[in-house]
């Protein structure tokens, strides 16, 4: 059963604590576009950095790239997005609703009582029309068809058109990969579920170029690596599963495709796709650009167009997954404690420094410890209200460690460190504190 009340609580917590805000809220908001607040920007940045580190820094065979959002319009003809990146839509002339023709059974009409579109006597549905999901704009001073450019709907194409540049500049050899994190834009017809499906989002995509024939072996390797990455983020493995694309689901470019799905309160949904794209992409760019994109394998003296294995995850979608997976409510001493049990490495704030009281020199001692820890990691200082309340505020922000400064700090040069999940407390020497925290939050 879908539990949408949990989503409502998460959306409300995200606003209250500064994870995610509705875009342009003071003007009534703009549809399915979201802004990340002080805690949200840290959480998403930590997720992106973890992804980048695991691919670009920890491997020898992957290079990074940051291609521009605006590209030559022919890129989108070659990729198939101009002709094929479309949803069939029907409009209702009565209620002015617009619905995906292939998802009418899941849609709700705008009339009251709400029914499936087409089921009211008054419904007047048009024939399905194709609706392109790319945002169009104009480059230069003229707003005419010659100046049309698109906001990229995926980051992948920036990698394909740069494949030879990166190969030559980095002196890599096939098999090798290119990783990129960046914004993508889609004029989604059915956005929703908070930051799950939005019109502006970030992708973390890696394209791995391989010799034809070795593609399925690499595809299986990448499936394993990517699933493990999500588990290492601390996601509950019981809430992760594979979905294999059947023959009717496969995208035009794919030889094989699997989605990693997570069980959200609104059901099992894709968070990352792993695709064996064959030579579709380089083949098309070779054809449309007229430039040879073959790889020359010096060792074996052979030429071929590499096949591509793609791993494509949404940074916002993984952020939502981490938030949903981390959210829990517990009864503690007759009160409900809300906890975001993030993996410490992605937690936006790693530690909070809380003096038991401000007087007797505790405030000054806490301030000195705070300055010290803050140099090493994102740290928060809070000296207002009862200590229990301060702990709760930090639990709700997902802060793994609270450092309490008390009278013993002054005499024994040590602090109490309270663990977010177990609520257990350890006594740690002030001199060892930063190293102790570093070890547990990396
Ligand atoms: N280059 C392949 C590609 O873009 P996709 O399945 O359309 O494939 C890959 O997108 C990932 O991007 C998805 O698994 C999802 O995490 C994310 N994504 C796609 N559309 C999105 C949207 N409208 N809002 C948020 N994330 C989205």
């Amino acid at each position: 059963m879908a539990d949408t009340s949990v989503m409502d609580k998460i959306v409300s917590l995200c606003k209250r604590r500064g994870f995610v805000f509705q875009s342009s809220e003071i003007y009534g908001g703009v549809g399915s576009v979201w802004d990340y607040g002080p805690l949200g920007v840290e959480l998403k940045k930590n997720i992106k950095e973890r992804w980048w580190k695991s691919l670009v820094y920890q491997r020898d065979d992957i290079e990074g790239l940051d291609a521009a959002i605006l590209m030559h319009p022919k890129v989108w003809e070659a990729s198939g997005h101009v002709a094929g990146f479309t949803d069939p839509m029907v409009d209702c002339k009565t209620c002015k609703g617009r619905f995906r023709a292939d998802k009418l059974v899941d849609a709700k009409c705008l009339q009251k009582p709400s029914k499936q579109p087409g089921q009211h006597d008054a419904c007047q549905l048009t024939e399905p029309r194709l609706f392109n999901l790319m945002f169009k704009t104009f480059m230069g001073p003229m707003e005419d068809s010659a100046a049309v450019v698109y906001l990229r709907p995926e980051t992948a194409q920036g990698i394909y058109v740069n494949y030879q540049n990166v190969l030559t500049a980095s002196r890599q050899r096939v098999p090798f990969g290119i990783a990129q994190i960046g914004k993508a834009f889609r004029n989604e017809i059915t956005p929703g579920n908070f930051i799950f499906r939005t019109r502006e989002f970030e992708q973390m995509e890696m394209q791995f170029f391989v010799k034809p024939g070795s593609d399925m072996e690499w595809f299986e390797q990448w499936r394993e690596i990517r699933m493990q990455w999500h588990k290492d983020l601390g996601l509950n493995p019981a809430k992760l599963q594979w979905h294999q694309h059947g023959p009717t689901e496969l995208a035009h470019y794919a030889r094989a495709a699997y989605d990693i799905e997570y069980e959200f309160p609104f059901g099992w949904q894709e968070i990352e796709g792993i695709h064996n794209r064959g030579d579709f992409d380089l083949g098309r760019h070779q054809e449309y650009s007229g430039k040879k994109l073959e790889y020359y394998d010096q060792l074996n003296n052979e030429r071929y167009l590499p096949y591509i294995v793609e791993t494509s995850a949404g940074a916002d979608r993984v952020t939502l997954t981490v938030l949903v997976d981390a959210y829990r409510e517990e009864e503690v001493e007759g009160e409900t404690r809300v906890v975001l049990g993030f993996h410490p490495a992605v937690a936006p704030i790693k530690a909070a420094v809380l003096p038991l009281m401000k007087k007797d020199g505790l405030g000054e001692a806490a301030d000195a410890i705070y300055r010290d820890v803050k140099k090493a990691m994102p740290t928060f200082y809070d000296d207002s209200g009862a200590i229990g309340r301060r702990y709760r505020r930090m639990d709700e922000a997902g802060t793994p460690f609270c450092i309490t400064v008390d009278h013993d700090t002054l005499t024994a040069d040590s602090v109490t460190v309270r663990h977010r999940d177990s609520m257990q407390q350890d006594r740690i020497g002030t001199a060892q504190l930063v190293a102790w925290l570093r070890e547990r939050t990396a």
Side-chain angles (χ1 to χ4, degrees):
M1 261 290 279
D3 182 359
T4 46
S5 69
V6 175
M7 278 310 292
D8 291 342
K9 288 180 187 171
I10 292 172
V11 173
S12 148
L13 184 147
C14 279
K15 177 172 180 192
R16 191 159 34 84
R17 296 310 309 263
F19 281 94
V20 180
F21 307 124
Q22 169 79 69
S23 163
S24 322
E25 195 183 3
I26 59 167
Y27 288 99
V30 60
S32 297
V33 186
W34 299 88
D35 299 338
Y36 287 80
L39 295 189
V41 67
E42 288 296 322
L43 178 64
K44 186 158 91 155
K45 180 169 69 67
N46 292 340
I47 291 168
K48 289 187 288 184
E49 278 178 7
R50 221 173 140 78
W51 183 87
W52 189 265
K53 231 185 242 171
S54 77
L55 296 175
V56 182
Y57 296 164
Q58 291 175 357
R59 296 181 63 107
D60 296 326
D61 55 0
I62 298 185
E63 303 289 337
L65 179 75
D66 183 12
I69 288 170
L70 300 177
M71 302 181 73
H72 195 291
K74 269 197 142 179
V75 167
W76 307 111
E77 285 174 37
S79 68
H81 284 85
V82 171
F85 196 52
T86 48
D87 278 340
M89 304 302 300
V90 293
D91 290 319
C92 176
K93 290 182 182 161
T94 310
C95 73
K96 310 293 179 214
R98 175 171 278 177
F99 313 97
R100 265 180 65 169
D102 56 339
K103 294 268 164 78
L104 281 181
V105 281
D106 301 326
K108 286 268 179 275
C109 142
L110 304 184
Q111 299 181 72
K112 296 276 180 273
S114 189
K115 293 185 183 177
Q116 184 182 318
Q119 292 198 338
H120 270 290
D121 290 343
C123 289
Q124 294 185 75
L125 298 186
T126 61
E127 286 298 306
R129 279 185 291 230
L130 290 177
F131 183 90
N132 196 288
L133 299 181
M134 281 197 293
F135 280 99
K136 258 188 208 171
T137 187
F138 302 95
M139 189 176 261
M142 303 298 285
E143 291 200 3
D144 60 23
S145 58
V148 164
V149 288
Y150 299 97
L151 300 189
R152 67 181 176 201
E154 62 172 12
T155 59
Q157 300 301 325
I159 296 182
Y160 306 142
V161 301
N162 275 298
Y163 129 85
Q164 272 186 338
N165 285 336
V166 175
L167 187 65
T168 314
S170 64
R171 306 180 66 215
Q172 287 280 359
R173 285 164 201 243
V174 171
F176 85 110
I178 304 176
Q180 173 167 228
I181 298 175
K183 289 269 187 179
F185 303 83
R186 294 183 192 177
N187 199 2
E188 297 279 7
I189 305 308
T190 47
N193 285 322
F194 194 31
I195 52 172
F196 177 81
R197 181 172 288 109
T198 55
R199 296 197 166 107
E200 173 177 343
F201 55 99
E202 266 184 295
Q203 287 187 313
M204 307 186 287
E205 295 202 302
M206 194 281 301
Q207 313 293 325
F208 205 74
F209 300 83
V210 304
K211 184 173 177 177
S214 66
D215 47 307
M216 281 316 287
E217 218 172 283
W218 277 109
F219 179 68
E220 290 306 326
Q221 269 202 42
W222 279 110
R223 278 183 56 200
E224 208 173 295
I225 294 169
R226 293 306 307 150
M227 180 60 103
Q228 192 56 47
W229 184 83
H230 288 281
K231 290 181 182 163
D232 292 346
L233 259 188
L235 299 182
N236 178 356
K239 290 189 170 244
L240 289 166
Q241 71 176 18
W242 285 110
H243 167 75
Q244 181 177 15
H245 287 212
T248 53
E249 256 177 298
L250 274 181
H252 57 282
Y253 52 76
R255 295 163 63 89
Y258 277 84
D259 294 336
I260 296 177
E261 292 188 336
Y262 180 82
E263 189 179 20
F264 289 95
F266 45 89
W268 286 98
Q269 297 286 344
E270 169 190 347
I271 54 174
E272 170 157 357
I274 292 104
H275 312 123
N276 178 350
R277 303 179 65 120
D279 63 1
F280 175 81
D281 306 285
L282 293 185
R284 293 279 284 203
H285 285 302
Q286 181 163 268
E287 181 189 336
Y288 279 69
S289 69
K291 299 275 181 327
K292 275 250 168 280
L293 295 178
E294 280 178 342
Y295 172 71
Y296 175 55
D297 177 351
Q298 268 180 332
L299 291 179
N300 298 304
N301 191 25
E302 54 179 340
R303 285 181 195 279
Y304 56 82
L305 211 51
Y307 277 18
I308 292 171
V309 175
E310 166 181 68
T311 72
S312 175
D316 310 84
R317 210 171 268 189
V318 175
T319 303
L320 179 64
T321 314
V322 166
L323 278 163
V324 166
D325 200 70
Y327 183 89
R328 60 176 196 266
E329 293 173 15
E330 293 170 357
E331 284 304 311
V332 178
E333 292 163 8
E335 272 189 37
T336 305
R337 152 174 122 115
V338 174
V339 187
L340 284 176
F342 297 133
H343 186 305
V346 296
I349 305 172
K350 308 294 184 205
V353 178
L354 319 172
L356 212 50
M357 55 178 72
K358 289 183 221 173
K359 55 183 189 185
D360 297 343
L362 293 189
E364 289 78 2
D367 189 60
I369 292 170
Y370 167 64
R371 303 269 150 223
D372 206 27
V373 179
K374 195 175 164 64
K375 278 188 221 139
M377 63 195 70
T379 309
F380 191 76
Y381 185 87
D382 189 1
D383 61 7
S384 65
I387 190 74
R389 288 220 159 278
R390 286 184 263 164
Y391 284 151
R392 295 288 177 275
R393 288 203 285 264
M394 284 297 113
D395 291 341
E396 218 186 34
T399 306
F401 300 107
C402 283
I403 300 152
T404 315
V405 176
D406 53 25
H407 287 97
D408 289 346
T409 308
L410 305 181
T411 52
D413 226 357
S414 62
V415 291
T416 299
V417 180
R418 176 223 188 230
H419 298 249
R420 174 196 63 206
D421 297 329
S422 64
M423 292 184 284
Q424 300 253 311
Q425 308 208 350
D426 283 332
R427 199 81 201 167
I428 310 286
T430 315
Q432 289 82 50
L433 183 62
V434 169
W436 189 96
L437 288 168
R438 265 218 185 101
E439 207 176 296
R440 287 160 180 80
T441 55

